[in-house]
Amino acid sequence: MAFKISPLSPQNIQDLPPLSGVRIATAKAGIKYKDRTDLLFIVFDKSASVAGVFTRSKCPSAPVEHCRASLPHGIARGVIVNSGNANAFTGRKGRHTTNEIMCAAASALKVRKNEIFIASTGVIGEPMDASGIVSLLPNMAETAEEGNWLEAAKAIMTTDTFPKLATRRFDCGGETVTINGIAKGAGMIAPDMATMLSFVVSDAKISSDILQSMLSEAVQGSFNSITVDSDTSTSDTLMVFATGKESFPCLTHKTDPRYEIFLKHLSALLHELALQIVCDGEGARHLIEVNVTGATTDNAAKIIARSIANSPLVKTAIAGEDANWGRVVMAIGKAGVEVDRDLLTIWFGEHRLAFNGERDPEYCEETIDAYMQGKHIVIRVDIGLGLGKATVWSCDLTKEYVMINSDYRS
Amino acid sequence: MAFKISPLSPQNIQDLPPLSGVRIATAKAGIKYKDRTDLLFIVFDKSASVAGVFTRSKCPSAPVEHCRASLPHGIARGVIVNSGNANAFTGRKGRHTTNEIMCAAASALKVRKNEIFIASTGVIGEPMDASGIVSLLPNMAETAEEGNWLEAAKAIMTTDTFPKLATRRFDCGGETVTINGIAKGAGMIAPDMATMLSFVVSDAKISSDILQSMLSEAVQGSFNSITVDSDTSTSDTLMVFATGKESFPCLTHKTDPRYEIFLKHLSALLHELALQIVCDGEGARHLIEVNVTGATTDNAAKIIARSIANSPLVKTAIAGEDANWGRVVMAIGKAGVEVDRDLLTIWFGEHRLAFNGERDPEYCEETIDAYMQGKHIVIRVDIGLGLGKATVWSCDLTKEYVMINSDYRS
């Protein structure tokens, strides 16, 4: 399961700053992968606030069901994540496995069961045995250390070719706060509510309801605006924790001026993680940014942008470095929302290719060919009807995507 | 643009029986392809009834707009089809090109312009010059012959690897009638109203409104139940013509007992053509049939079946001969309609893989592996909630699909 590192990977992958009272341990539970870590335990030494968004799949995994049920309690003391098995569509046994892991973690930390959050990623439908995980937890709880964020990001990888991390440090009402986040991709990515798996921790003190409100807002322009392959996972989980350092007076109202500051930085961090997921989309060679303006509403713009970003024909054209804007027209046409063919304008980068319902008379194949050889392709469409706009990020569809997914399970 | 013949191609490809008064000519107009025919002219010696269904794309091609406008006139005398250029998103020039071709055809046949139907398939957005076509039409009108159906099917191919034809001959109220049909694929196939291009002609006498009613019914279980790549074309056109032989009293009412007889055979013929398109889906190595039962409504069943049939992860798994039913669960979950994970049952062929929300205890990897090596894979899902059912046909997603579409335009 080792793949060549994506050509879209960040130049440098660095560890994140430690957060006080947030201890991390990883281990090799041998769930599926050999000779690598596949188990992550994040321990909060004191009660942390918690917010989460999860897949809208009608067939969610057992861990997703558990997290959703525990969220209203509003307190987190530990997070367990394993890679190699999604524990999804595993029936009563799957719920039993989740429960056993939670009980073992709660007992190791001497906290309540609904203060433990859990996520699993990997194969769907394969029964998952708890014992290999359960036996490791007491020692992990003891040896967990502040820092270790890079190891955490590595332990949750599946077909990812690089670990995904991001951090922000900023002044928030006179107090410096930090947000650290990790995420994993890399296939079955078309988040409808969140993404595969992402965990974000800040040392700010924020009530859980306010944290949830920020998260729901920040996820729209980040994880809910990316797609690798249009396939929404059963396990999408994005959780944010705030450990609440003493010097930071608790943020409990939207009217608090720190709300907008924190939200801005949280949004930027989620956006950075989401883009890392797209850049590590299975087989990806090009990052595709689709900007739609001039639609009747923002929602219509997003539907059009998604239709373009998910079209296999658009994505294979980008893989072939071919500015096949005719396929963009096709994808706009099939989106089903209001458009007028004869008002469309289409650009690739700065190059206007189509205008007034036909090919731009200034169109120059050579210039555009050079642009298409870049790694970051921007497709811009103006619908010409209104003020609605949206941006969606995706990646190209390559032979490697097919190869990876033709024998992922075996 | 020559591809290896699809392994799912029919064993024998035979010409169709000639239809009296239906003359066919093909020619090399050099629109895009070299050394092959790319222009088809079907001539009806007497007025034929006509029905059509077209793409629901909001960016339809100029020929689609023309056909839609001419349909209410209800009379057809000629059909012109070219391959190599779709004349879509070509603006005023495109409409002008369509008009020139129609005028030339009408003049060659001495009929009215709105009795000529036209379809174009190929690259989108490339201006199309009428002159090369127009100059050939008078001679084609003169030399067209009864028969030549195989040549007709060949002239409209683009990335197709085999010509698509089907015929039915049956007794309809004491009179033997024939239906001949041709079609082409092979990419941008997710018909929302019809398919890429298909033309069907019968010698029965049927009023245009009744023919339209039959077509709208017959298209649902055939062309509207297939998908190659989820991308709906700008040019989908399916037309049926009835030339009306004298011995067949005109069918003008749904209550006529011949209505159901004709509809049955028309449906079967459209179904056969639609499956040929899937079997020639770009890069296809496996035919996938998705049967959904037990959904709350037929419409819900179709949404679920489409979600499975369009999922890149399901399609790549089939390409890899991997019974990855976990991805089927994913596709059911993301479809958005009502399902209860714990009531789902999933079969591949006769092999039940999942039951009661988890893997079937009887599941045997070896047996299923043998099944997956077949060319025709049936995925059956019972939702366990109601009586809604639907079937959708698709094909697998292979490296060849990506290769074909990474450099189609160049």
Side-chain angles (χ1 to χ4, degrees):
Chain A
M1 196 52 60
F3 300 106
K4 258 200 312 213
I5 291 171
S6 165
L8 307 173
S9 127
Q11 297 277 325
N12 292 304
I13 295 169
Q14 290 183 320
D15 209 342
L16 307 182
L19 287 178
S20 169
V22 180
R23 296 186 297 115
I24 289 174
T26 59
K28 298 176 186 176
I31 295 160
K32 174 183 171 176
Y33 308 114
K34 304 290 161 225
D35 302 321
R36 54 155 278 196
T37 57
D38 54 3
L39 186 62
L40 164 65
F41 197 173
I42 307 178
V43 178
F44 303 117
D45 285 337
K46 290 188 301 177
S47 295
S49 303
V50 54
V53 284
F54 305 94
T55 182
R56 275 191 199 141
S57 170
K58 305 282 183 183
C59 300
S61 68
V64 163
E65 285 189 316
H66 163 67
C67 288
R68 213 175 249 146
S70 292
L71 206 57
H73 179 53
I75 294 173
R77 291 297 302 272
V79 184
I80 318 268
V81 189
N82 73 274
S83 55
N85 189 320
N87 192 16
F89 209 75
T90 42
R92 259 176 310 132
K93 279 192 225 80
R95 290 190 281 276
H96 186 66
T97 296
T98 299
N99 195 51
E100 274 189 278
I101 296 171
M102 280 164 6
C103 288
S107 144
L109 298 181
K110 299 188 181 57
V111 302
R112 292 169 60 174
K113 205 174 74 173
N114 59 2
E115 293 165 4
I116 302 294
F117 290 84
I118 182 165
S120 300
T121 175
V123 180
I124 296 172
E126 194 76 34
M128 183 167 119
D129 183 40
S131 61
I133 294 176
V134 161
S135 63
L136 293 166
L137 294 179
N139 185 256
M140 291 174 82
E142 209 162 294
T143 59
E145 289 180 356
E146 290 179 1
N148 273 345
W149 286 89
L150 183 55
E151 291 309 312
K154 285 181 181 171
I156 65 174
M157 288 165 67
T158 54
T159 55
D160 305 69
T161 72
F162 61 86
K164 294 161 188 69
L165 307 101
T167 187
R168 289 291 184 282
R169 192 175 161 82
F170 54 96
D171 181 90
C172 193
E175 183 67 28
T176 300
V177 296
T178 302
I179 316 180
N180 280 353
I182 59 172
K184 54 96 44 196
M188 213 177 270
I189 304 286
D192 188 19
M193 189 62 196
T195 182
M196 280 299 283
L197 297 182
S198 180
F199 304 94
V200 175
V201 184
S202 172
D203 56 1
K205 191 182 283 180
I206 303 175
S207 65
S208 291
D209 57 331
I210 286 294
L211 201 57
Q212 183 70 44
S213 154
M214 286 181 184
L215 176 58
S216 300
E217 199 166 331
V219 78
Q220 294 308 331
S222 55
F223 288 110
N224 274 0
S225 293
I226 64 170
T227 177
V228 167
D229 54 11
S230 78
D231 276 344
T232 302
S233 163
T234 53
S235 309
D236 288 347
T237 298
L238 164 59
M239 301 194 77
V240 180
F241 306 92
T243 57
K245 58 179 180 180
E246 287 306 324
S247 53
F248 191 87
C250 192
L251 200 170
T252 53
H253 286 91
K254 279 192 167 187
T255 49
D256 187 322
R258 296 175 302 167
Y259 182 93
E260 291 299 330
I261 298 170
F262 194 90
L263 175 59
K264 185 181 92 179
H265 289 278
L266 177 65
S267 299
L269 178 135
L270 293 184
H271 190 257
E272 184 178 336
L273 287 174
L275 279 204
Q276 286 185 43
I277 287 182
V278 175
C279 285
D280 203 13
E282 289 169 340
R285 294 289 172 270
H286 295 84
L287 171 64
I288 306 172
E289 177 178 338
V290 182
N291 292 318
V292 175
T293 56
T296 50
T297 63
D298 284 355
N299 190 47
K302 194 140 184 185
I303 291 170
I304 294 166
R306 264 192 198 285
S307 179
I308 297 168
N310 277 329
S311 159
L313 289 171
V314 171
K315 289 154 72 88
T316 48
I318 306 289
E321 303 188 342
D322 175 12
N324 195 323
W325 58 272
R327 295 181 181 174
V328 175
V329 173
M330 176 281 298
I332 296 167
K334 75 164 180 167
V337 302
E338 191 182 343
V339 302
D340 179 335
R341 181 191 61 196
D342 298 337
L343 296 178
L344 297 179
T345 313
I346 300 173
W347 297 259
F348 276 53
E350 296 301 311
H351 312 282
R352 194 174 70 179
L353 302 183
F355 182 54
N356 277 345
E358 60 187 303
R359 194 167 75 181
D360 193 312
E362 311 287 308
Y363 178 89
C364 166
E365 194 84 32
E366 287 68 37
T367 326
I368 187 68
D369 279 353
Y371 176 73
M372 297 306 291
Q373 284 163 35
K375 283 185 187 172
H376 181 179
I377 302 299
V378 180
I379 300 176
R380 187 149 73 88
V381 174
D382 189 78
I383 305 296
L385 290 178
L387 297 172
K389 60 184 165 51
T391 301
V392 167
W393 289 267
S394 185
C395 57
D396 53 347
L397 172 57
T398 64
K399 276 182 294 182
E400 288 71 24
Y401 176 88
V402 177
M403 283 161 60
I404 292 166
N405 286 301
S406 301
D407 56 19
Y408 173 62
R409 210 176 58 127
S410 40
Chain B
M1 195 54 57
F3 302 105
K4 257 198 314 210
I5 291 171
S6 165
L8 307 174
S9 124
Q11 296 279 325
N12 292 304
I13 295 170
Q14 291 183 320
D15 209 340
L16 306 182
L19 286 179
S20 168
V22 181
R23 295 186 298 114
I24 290 173
T26 60
K28 299 177 185 176
I31 295 160
K32 174 182 172 176
Y33 308 114
K34 303 289 161 225
D35 301 322
R36 56 155 277 198
T37 57
D38 55 3
L39 186 61
L40 164 65
F41 197 174
I42 307 178
V43 177
F44 303 117
D45 284 337
K46 291 187 298 175
S47 295
S49 303
V50 54
V53 285
F54 305 93
T55 184
R56 276 192 200 138
S57 169
K58 305 282 183 183
C59 299
S61 67
V64 163
E65 286 189 316
H66 162 67
C67 288
R68 215 175 245 144
S70 293
L71 207 56
H73 179 53
I75 293 173
R77 292 296 304 272
V79 183
I80 317 269
V81 189
N82 73 274
S83 55
N85 189 319
N87 192 16
F89 209 74
T90 41
R92 260 176 309 131
K93 279 192 224 80
R95 290 189 282 274
H96 186 65
T97 296
T98 299
N99 195 51
E100 274 189 277
I101 296 171
M102 280 168 4
C103 289
S107 142
L109 299 181
K110 303 186 178 58
V111 301
R112 293 167 61 172
K113 205 174 76 176
N114 60 0
E115 293 165 1
I116 302 292
F117 291 84
I118 183 167
S120 300
T121 176
V123 180
I124 296 172
E126 194 76 33
M128 184 166 119
D129 183 39
S131 61
I133 294 176
V134 161
S135 63
L136 292 167
L137 293 179
N139 185 254
M140 291 175 83
E142 208 163 296
T143 58
E145 289 181 358
E146 291 180 2
N148 272 345
W149 286 89
L150 182 56
E151 290 309 312
K154 285 181 181 169
I156 64 174
M157 289 165 66
T158 53
T159 57
D160 305 70
T161 72
F162 61 86
K164 296 164 186 67
L165 307 103
T167 186
R168 290 290 184 282
R169 191 175 161 81
F170 55 97
D171 180 273
C172 194
E175 184 68 25
T176 301
V177 296
T178 302
I179 315 180
N180 280 354
I182 60 172
K184 55 95 47 195
M188 213 177 270
I189 303 288
D192 188 19
M193 189 61 197
T195 182
M196 283 298 284
L197 297 183
S198 180
F199 303 94
V200 175
V201 184
S202 172
D203 56 1
K205 191 181 286 180
I206 304 176
S207 65
S208 291
D209 57 331
I210 285 294
L211 200 58
Q212 184 69 44
S213 153
M214 286 182 184
L215 176 59
S216 301
E217 200 166 330
V219 78
Q220 295 308 331
S222 56
F223 288 109
N224 274 0
S225 293
I226 64 170
T227 178
V228 166
D229 53 13
S230 78
D231 276 345
T232 301
S233 162
T234 54
S235 310
D236 288 346
T237 298
L238 164 59
M239 302 194 76
V240 180
F241 305 91
T243 56
K245 58 179 179 180
E246 286 306 322
S247 52
F248 191 86
C250 192
L251 200 170
T252 53
H253 286 92
K254 279 192 167 188
T255 48
D256 188 323
R258 296 175 301 168
Y259 182 92
E260 290 300 329
I261 299 170
F262 194 90
L263 175 59
K264 185 181 93 181
H265 290 279
L266 177 65
S267 299
L269 178 136
L270 292 184
H271 190 257
E272 184 180 336
L273 287 174
L275 279 204
Q276 287 185 42
I277 287 182
V278 176
C279 285
D280 203 14
E282 288 169 340
R285 293 289 173 269
H286 295 84
L287 171 64
I288 306 173
E289 177 177 338
V290 182
N291 291 319
V292 174
T293 55
T296 51
T297 63
D298 285 354
N299 190 47
K302 193 139 183 185
I303 291 169
I304 294 166
R306 265 192 197 285
S307 179
I308 298 168
N310 276 330
S311 159
L313 288 172
V314 171
K315 289 154 71 87
T316 48
I318 305 288
E321 303 189 342
D322 176 12
N324 195 323
W325 58 273
R327 295 182 180 174
V328 176
V329 173
M330 175 281 298
I332 296 167
K334 76 164 180 167
V337 301
E338 191 183 344
V339 301
D340 180 335
R341 180 191 60 195
D342 298 338
L343 296 178
L344 296 180
T345 314
I346 300 173
W347 296 259
F348 276 53
E350 295 302 310
H351 311 283
R352 194 175 69 179
L353 301 183
F355 182 52
N356 277 345
E358 60 189 303
R359 194 167 75 181
D360 194 310
E362 311 286 311
Y363 178 88
C364 167
E365 194 84 31
E366 287 68 34
T367 326
I368 188 69
D369 278 354
Y371 176 73
M372 298 306 291
Q373 284 163 35
K375 284 184 186 172
H376 180 182
I377 302 298
V378 179
I379 300 176
R380 186 149 74 88
V381 174
D382 189 78
I383 305 297
L385 290 178
L387 297 172
K389 61 184 166 51
T391 301
V392 167
W393 289 266
S394 185
C395 57
D396 52 348
L397 172 56
T398 64
K399 277 183 293 183
E400 287 71 24
Y401 177 88
V402 177
M403 283 162 59
I404 292 166
N405 286 300
S406 300
D407 56 20
Y408 173 62
R409 211 176 56 128
S410 38

